[in-house]
Amino acid sequence: QSALTQPASVSGSPGQSITISCTGSSSDVGGYNYVSWYQHHPGKAPKLMIYDVTKRHSGVSNRFSGSKSGNTASLTISGLQAEDEADYYCSSYRSSGTYVFGPGTKVTVL
Amino acid sequence: EVQLVESGGGLVQPGGSLRLSCAASGFTFSDYYMTWVRQAPGKGLEWVANINEDGSDKYYEESLKGRFTISRDNAKNSLYLQMNTLRADDTAVYYCARKGYRDYWGQGTLVTVSS
């Protein structure tokens, strides 16, 4: 069982904005600015989208943005597109060199 | 171009061992932290282990300590994961990735633990 929680699914229509939350504790998300987000299309390698809470990885569209408040980090996708349909995972540093992933959120473009 | 290519997966019986490899190219391997992550069928991503640039510091998911060992050979630009006493719930696709926050990933190698 993951120490982080994410909604199982989020959906939106093309052009809309959606937000995926990632809730942890003061021992992980709230304690460090080392939250990252990954997009994963089944059968393919995961792709880094956001790292260090807010930094966009090279080549990632500026439609993707990250933020954090307290023990909850968020990934916002604006101007939703069909190609954004995928699983999204958050990850946080937790202590002593270890990391944890959230359970993942399936994004559906209606 | 950064490339990570995993190998060594396959079918192994419960209690058996397997050594995964990850061949790195397109960057100075010895300058980077490396990571193993796995995904069991129908499940989410799970962090497995990290190793620092010179291999002197290693970190593991608590539940895997004692069975899994991460290592690297900077002369061969290669990362390894030695897996012992394998169990059915170790069945997963195993990915290697660069850096603690995993900026580049390999395509993964499938490990199936079954009799």
Side-chain angles (χ1 to χ4, degrees):
Chain A
Q1 190 168 353
S2 176
L4 306 181
T5 59
Q6 296 180 234
S9 62
V10 173
S11 62
S13 298
Q16 285 188 329
S17 292
I18 62 169
T19 297
I20 304 167
S21 60
C22 172
T23 300
S25 69
S26 57
S27 298
D28 36 63
V29 174
Y32 309 93
N33 287 324
Y34 296 134
V35 176
S36 49
W37 290 91
Y38 305 86
Q39 179 190 67
H40 191 201
H41 290 102
K44 295 194 171 183
K47 286 178 54 178
L48 174 67
M49 307 304 280
I50 300 288
Y51 66 101
D52 293 353
V53 179
T54 62
K55 298 175 182 175
R56 208 175 296 116
H57 182 46
S58 173
V60 171
S61 169
N62 59 10
R63 297 185 299 104
F64 292 83
S65 61
S67 63
K68 190 182 85 167
S69 177
N71 296 335
T72 297
S74 299
L75 174 72
T76 298
I77 309 174
S78 57
L80 200 61
Q81 299 180 1
E83 67 209 48
D84 301 331
E85 189 160 290
D87 297 321
Y88 290 82
Y89 294 88
C90 64
S91 176
S92 175
Y93 180 82
R94 47 185 175 182
S95 70
S96 304
T98 66
Y99 289 81
V100 62
F101 279 95
T105 296
K106 183 175 182 61
V107 168
T108 301
V109 181
L110 301 171
Chain B
E1 179 192 5
V2 173
Q3 285 203 323
L4 297 168
V5 180
E6 302 92 339
S7 60
L11 176 63
V12 60
Q13 292 193 334
S17 297
L18 213 53
R19 187 198 198 202
L20 305 183
S21 299
C22 171
S25 61
F27 64 101
T28 304
F29 181 70
S30 58
D31 285 349
Y32 289 89
Y33 237 81
M34 297 297 294
T35 299
W36 285 101
V37 174
R38 70 181 182 179
Q39 184 177 35
K43 303 289 188 181
L45 300 175
E46 179 183 22
W47 175 76
V48 172
N50 276 5
I51 187 168
N52 73 340
E53 293 83 347
D54 65 5
S56 59
D57 292 325
K58 304 173 185 182
Y59 307 93
Y60 299 92
E61 168 59 45
E62 189 66 30
S63 62
L64 301 176
K65 275 183 184 177
R67 293 196 303 123
F68 286 20
T69 302
I70 189 171
S71 63
R72 64 191 297 160
D73 185 336
N74 286 344
K76 294 183 177 179
N77 292 335
S78 292
L79 176 72
Y80 305 102
L81 185 67
Q82 177 68 43
M83 305 185 294
N84 298 329
T85 319
L86 283 161
R87 310 187 304 224
D89 62 0
D90 294 318
T91 294
V93 175
Y94 286 75
Y95 297 98
C96 68
R98 192 181 78 164
K99 285 189 175 182
Y101 60 74
R102 304 153 222 121
D103 58 350
Y104 292 96
W105 298 61
Q107 290 295 318
T109 186
L110 176 62
V111 172
T112 303
V113 184
S114 174
S115 54

